[in-house]
Amino acid sequence: MSQLGFLVTTSRGMDELLRDEVSQLCPDATIKQSPGMLRVDGSLEDAYRVCLWSRLANRVIWILTDGDASSADAMYDTASKVDWSMQFSTKDTFSVQFHGSSRAINNTQFGALKVKDAIVDHFYDESGSRPDVERTQADIVINARLNRDKITLGIEMSGGSLHQRAYRQETGLAPLKEHVAAAMLMRSGWTQDTSQPLVDPMCGSGTVVIEAALIAAQRAPGLQRPRWGFTHWQGHRAEIWQSLIADAEARQITPEVKLFANDIDRKLVAMAKHNANEAGVFEFIHFNVGDALTFTPPKAAFKPGVLVSNPPYGERLGEMTTLIPLFSQWGQQLKSHWQGWHLSLLSSNRELLRLLKLRASKEYSLMNGKLECKLVNYALDEANCQQYSEGQDNDFANRLKKNLKKLKPWINQANTNCYRIYDADLPEYNVAIDRYDDCLVVQEYAPPKTIDAEKAKRRLQEVLLYLPAVTDTPSKQIMLKVREQKKGKQQYEKVSQTGNRKVVFENGAKFYVNLTDYLDTGLFLDHRITRQEVQKRVKNKDVLNLFSYTGSVSVFAALGGARSVTTVDMSNTYINWARDNFKLNKLSGAYQFVQADCLQWLAGHNSQYDFIFIDPPSFSNSKRMNTTWDVQRDHVMLLTQAKRCLKPGGTIMFSNNRRGFKLDDEAMNALGLTAQDISAATIPEDFKRHSNIHQCWILQS
């Protein structure tokens, strides 16, 4: 049997903890540490012991050989030198897991294939038969790890990742891995004295408290695993393994512990209870359903202990609007009720933890699955429990209050419940905020590269922290979106899919808006006056609305008494939305809705109109169009086609939001169109801070 020892892998950031643990489990072994992995010069019994007892390891691999892998052929030769028939038989299935790359071998599938070929060829040469490959539940898993020009081949003894303890039957949406929970408990200091009360106020499916109970009960985490990778291995020594199992079962105790698990979600608490029962530690844990913002130290705790938790991260953008005020309130609650306790919190969003307004005593980097996380420790001593009044003296909050005060008379007179209340007034708070009835939409403009990303993130969190109080809007009714230049099909892509529509009103019309699913809501607020201008000008006229979006201009044209309204847009979604807006306003008559590329449609169109409204995008390279579109380059071509469909004496209203756009006046004169710039008159009061948001002309034939 090989005397090369074995490898033990873990998640990044847990190497030192794993080394300490393996040193205790294998005191006579020599250990070499590298990122995410230990190489242990130890016995087979040592390897078994790590499989059974490690709370931090992912996999244990018994090394069969190290060798040359400077080329694919060299690696094949290294694999061929292993006597595979001494490891397993042709009756066993096997698979190859390949890790790493080099200049010679830069594809893991190719690497795995070369190792597999060497194994199969060995069996063919020796017996004329071969074992079958099984990708999912193979009897034998060969682990191949390539590092530069060297390959290490071994038998995976663990039979899948060791973090899977077999007790977790159900999980929430973002489950905490068991070995990460164990690392949190070790880093928190609780494992040094398990008589301390331990609380997880956001327990999810209960992983932290279950791992704590297993530690306190001195129960080997591998005892419940139903499957091991060495069962079919010919190097397996059942008598050694069974001796270790018997010893582990004998070492279990009934612990004196005070473990408390709480979550606001009743279903998650039920999952946690079920998982604890599967783990055999249900009786050691007190479960509770409640809000962490009102959860206080349980009376049964008797004394301050350790709070260990994995609070929500806010991986999805929309979650941030509710999490930011939650963390701020939680920080105040912790200071008020948890004095003397120690906290250990894991988050992939370090900025969220800063909202607790607590001074960290120590922090560690580690991975939970693919998420890069920080585990941050706090001591809730007297200095750390001082309350700092949030007040509303923040620069952003003060500016927003001034805006609302200034806009109040206008808002009271405006016949709409949709308007802008803040538009990047302060450069460091680079957002626009629009009210839609009882909701707010916060649009964060992607910061330039010159602005530090972490600083920009902090400023956004301040916006979301102060916004509910200043505007008297619940955080759950605040939607967050990030605006950046979109090209091609990105202009039409959904950012979410909730199907959540609401009805708003504007100057006698009603509209459906969707505040969550798209970057735009369905109603361009800066065109409020423009829509009224259309309504005034179209009585008894035939109207064409090109690039119509959701048809709001068409609705006002119909309400203005237009004889007919033709609405054209490339997006079927927007055309259906326009139809719904007409139904919402109980409009019926000579109204047509056309889903088509506006440029192609107009080029082949021959009908005549009294009034044409055109508000094209600044740029587009959508796959639905045959060519790219640039409003500066192509507006003369577009207006030439529109003029062809304009009745004598008719009017074109042309608008766009391209910064620095210049209308080609000579071309307009050549077309027989007189141009009147009405941009300034069409900018509403709530958009005057950035009055270049759009330009608008009346083109008269």
Side-chain angles (χ1 to χ4, degrees):
M1 182 181 294
S2 168
Q3 296 300 315
L4 296 173
F6 55 95
L7 303 176
V8 187
T9 68
T10 190
S11 299
R12 199 175 64 191
M14 293 165 57
D15 317 66
E16 291 182 10
L17 280 176
L18 179 64
R19 181 181 184 123
D20 292 343
E21 181 188 56
V22 173
S23 295
Q24 292 177 12
L25 292 172
C26 313
D28 297 327
T30 301
I31 301 171
K32 182 180 178 181
Q33 181 179 326
S34 58
M37 185 169 64
L38 303 179
R39 181 159 182 151
V40 185
D41 180 11
S43 65
L44 182 61
E45 183 174 342
D46 288 333
Y48 283 147
R49 193 175 288 110
V50 174
C51 283
L52 185 59
W53 280 99
S54 178
R55 302 184 190 278
L56 303 171
N58 283 135
R59 299 179 192 274
V60 177
I61 300 130
W62 184 259
I63 301 171
L64 298 176
T65 190
D66 292 307
D68 184 16
S70 55
S71 67
D73 289 340
M75 187 176 70
Y76 176 92
D77 290 341
T78 296
S80 295
K81 291 174 184 176
V82 176
D83 190 348
W84 293 106
S85 57
M86 292 293 290
Q87 310 302 325
F88 62 101
S89 75
T90 55
K91 295 179 181 178
D92 300 315
T93 60
F94 81 103
S95 66
V96 178
Q97 290 190 350
F98 196 95
H99 305 271
S101 62
S102 66
R103 289 183 180 180
I105 302 163
N106 57 14
N107 182 289
T108 55
Q109 288 183 327
F110 173 72
L113 183 62
K114 293 300 289 184
V115 174
K116 185 210 78 172
D117 287 346
I119 295 171
V120 169
D121 290 347
H122 170 88
F123 280 102
Y124 265 128
D125 292 343
E126 186 163 286
S127 64
S129 61
R130 53 157 287 179
D132 291 330
V133 173
E134 169 60 52
R135 296 183 182 276
T136 54
Q137 290 280 327
D139 298 325
I140 295 289
V141 176
I142 309 302
N143 193 288
R145 307 188 82 84
L146 178 64
N147 183 21
R148 297 181 181 174
D149 291 338
K150 297 294 182 183
I151 188 78
T152 299
L153 298 170
I155 299 289
E156 186 186 294
M157 301 180 69
S158 40
S161 181
L162 289 172
H163 83 269
Q164 297 168 330
R165 321 279 205 229
Y167 64 73
R168 198 160 67 172
Q169 304 298 307
E170 300 176 283
T171 66
L173 291 176
L176 177 69
K177 290 184 179 293
E178 293 90 330
H179 70 310
V180 176
M184 292 168 63
L185 291 164
M186 293 175 190
R187 289 296 194 196
S188 73
W190 178 81
T191 54
Q192 297 171 20
D193 179 9
T194 58
S195 67
Q196 301 176 88
L198 177 77
V199 173
D200 185 350
M202 301 181 187
C203 71
S205 55
T207 308
V208 167
V209 287
I210 293 172
E211 286 296 311
L214 292 172
I215 291 170
Q218 296 179 22
R219 185 171 306 168
L223 273 179
Q224 285 186 259
R225 283 176 67 87
R227 186 173 178 275
W228 293 97
F230 49 71
T231 306
H232 293 264
W233 178 42
Q234 292 183 12
H236 174 45
R237 297 294 178 262
E239 68 280 3
I240 299 176
W241 176 248
Q242 290 304 322
S243 175
L244 289 171
I245 292 289
D247 177 67
E249 290 176 341
R251 288 173 61 178
Q252 297 179 87
I253 64 170
T254 300
E256 294 291 331
V257 288
K258 299 188 183 304
L259 307 176
F260 304 90
N262 174 82
D263 202 280
I264 195 170
D265 190 328
R266 189 174 297 276
K267 290 182 179 178
L268 284 177
V269 174
M271 282 184 199
K273 288 180 176 180
H274 181 61
N275 292 340
N277 190 57
E278 287 291 321
V281 296
F282 178 85
E283 62 185 302
F284 307 134
I285 304 170
H286 302 272
F287 291 96
N288 182 67
V289 177
D291 189 344
L293 297 182
T294 58
F295 185 62
T296 56
K299 292 181 180 179
F302 294 115
K303 63 178 182 179
V306 183
L307 187 155
V308 180
S309 196
N310 174 218
Y313 300 156
E315 288 300 308
R316 289 182 291 274
L317 191 63
E319 296 173 346
M320 297 302 295
T321 56
T322 54
L323 287 182
I324 285 172
L326 181 148
F327 270 76
S328 179
Q329 294 170 47
W330 192 34
Q332 296 175 38
Q333 199 262 358
L334 289 169
K335 293 179 180 184
S336 297
H337 300 285
W338 295 81
Q339 296 95 334
W341 284 71
H342 285 77
L343 272 60
S344 194
L345 304 177
L346 181 74
S347 180
S348 68
N349 189 335
R350 182 65 178 88
E351 292 303 314
L352 270 180
L353 296 184
R354 295 189 199 282
L355 294 170
L356 298 173
K357 296 293 197 301
L358 292 171
R359 185 182 66 256
S361 56
K362 191 76 174 177
E363 61 181 78
Y364 307 90
S365 297
L366 57 85
M367 300 293 292
N368 179 32
K370 295 182 179 179
L371 289 175
E372 294 186 13
C373 297
K374 292 286 186 182
L375 179 65
V376 187
N377 288 352
Y378 308 88
L380 289 180
D381 52 23
E382 184 177 350
N384 225 3
C385 286
Q386 290 184 6
Q387 293 279 7
Y388 298 96
S389 173
E390 293 289 354
Q392 290 190 6
D393 54 357
N394 168 272
D395 289 343
F396 164 75
N398 287 336
R399 174 54 67 97
L400 182 57
K401 286 193 288 186
K402 288 179 182 177
N403 284 4
L404 291 172
K405 183 177 181 180
K406 181 181 178 181
L407 284 172
K408 188 174 181 180
W410 174 83
I411 292 171
N412 290 338
Q413 293 180 4
N415 186 12
T416 183
N417 59 353
C418 307
Y419 44 85
R420 179 155 292 186
I421 61 175
Y422 178 91
D423 196 356
D425 301 45
L426 303 174
E428 59 268 37
Y429 297 96
N430 195 27
V431 299
I433 304 172
D434 296 322
R435 178 172 285 285
Y436 289 84
D437 190 18
D438 58 348
C439 294
L440 297 177
V441 174
V442 179
Q443 301 176 60
E444 181 196 18
Y445 298 106
K449 294 180 180 179
T450 54
I451 300 297
D452 179 67
E454 290 302 313
K455 185 176 182 180
K457 187 185 292 186
R458 213 166 294 174
R459 294 300 194 194
L460 177 61
Q461 290 187 344
E462 288 180 29
V463 168
L464 298 178
L465 179 61
Y466 289 104
L467 198 53
V470 175
T471 62
D472 196 26
T473 304
S475 58
K476 66 182 180 180
Q477 291 169 217
I478 299 175
M479 290 71 182
L480 174 63
K481 300 177 182 181
V482 175
R483 296 202 70 88
E484 54 190 349
Q485 186 175 3
K486 296 291 182 182
K487 296 182 179 181
K489 67 177 183 179
Q490 287 180 308
Q491 298 171 92
Y492 303 97
E493 284 181 350
K494 287 191 172 186
V495 294
S496 181
Q497 191 160 1
T498 64
N500 186 18
R501 296 201 302 185
K502 68 180 299 162
V503 176
V504 296
F505 68 84
E506 177 193 299
N507 296 316
K510 296 178 181 179
F511 296 102
Y512 286 113
V513 292
N514 186 320
L515 307 185
T516 56
D517 291 4
Y518 302 88
L519 280 173
D520 291 311
T521 63
L523 188 65
F524 294 133
L525 302 187
D526 63 297
H527 271 311
R528 191 183 307 117
I529 294 175
T530 311
R531 288 186 282 269
Q532 288 183 280
E533 278 297 311
V534 171
Q535 185 178 19
K536 293 175 186 176
R537 294 170 180 265
V538 298
K539 188 173 179 62
N540 296 323
K541 293 182 178 181
D542 295 312
V543 176
L544 171 63
N545 180 10
L546 288 173
F547 306 96
S548 66
Y549 191 39
T550 59
S552 56
V553 167
S554 297
V555 167
F556 273 101
L559 292 173
R563 181 167 49 239
S564 70
V565 180
T566 301
T567 302
V568 187
D569 195 272
M570 183 166 58
S571 166
N572 195 48
T573 297
Y574 293 150
I575 285 295
N576 288 333
W577 199 328
R579 284 195 180 97
D580 290 344
N581 280 334
F582 267 67
K583 292 176 185 176
L584 183 63
N585 287 279
K586 297 181 171 59
L587 293 170
S588 59
Y591 307 132
Q592 286 188 309
F593 300 89
V594 181
Q595 187 264 311
D597 176 343
C598 292
L599 300 176
Q600 288 186 6
W601 181 86
L602 187 61
H605 193 62
N606 295 311
S607 295
Q608 299 277 294
Y609 300 90
D610 302 292
F611 188 95
I612 302 176
F613 181 80
I614 308 175
D615 183 30
S618 298
F619 178 85
S620 179
N621 62 354
S622 171
K623 290 181 179 178
R624 299 180 187 180
M625 298 173 63
N626 288 337
T627 60
T628 62
W629 159 264
D630 182 290
V631 70
Q632 184 64 70
R633 182 191 69 199
D634 300 323
H635 74 280
V636 173
M637 175 270 293
L638 171 63
L639 293 171
T640 300
Q641 295 288 1
K643 171 66 164 55
R644 188 177 52 79
C645 294
L646 192 65
K647 292 180 182 178
T651 301
I652 296 174
M653 184 179 283
F654 174 65
S655 176
N656 72 81
N657 60 0
R658 167 79 173 263
R659 298 291 169 90
F661 175 83
K662 300 292 184 184
L663 184 71
D664 190 333
D665 291 319
E666 289 186 10
M668 296 305 101
N669 290 332
L671 286 172
L673 295 172
T674 57
Q676 178 189 0
D677 188 342
I678 63 168
S679 301
T682 62
I683 304 299
E685 182 69 26
D686 48 330
F687 282 85
K688 285 188 175 176
R689 175 172 175 77
H690 294 288
S691 58
N692 60 347
I693 191 167
H694 71 245
Q695 298 183 69
C696 192
W697 289 266
I698 293 292
L699 305 174
Q700 201 77 43
S701 67

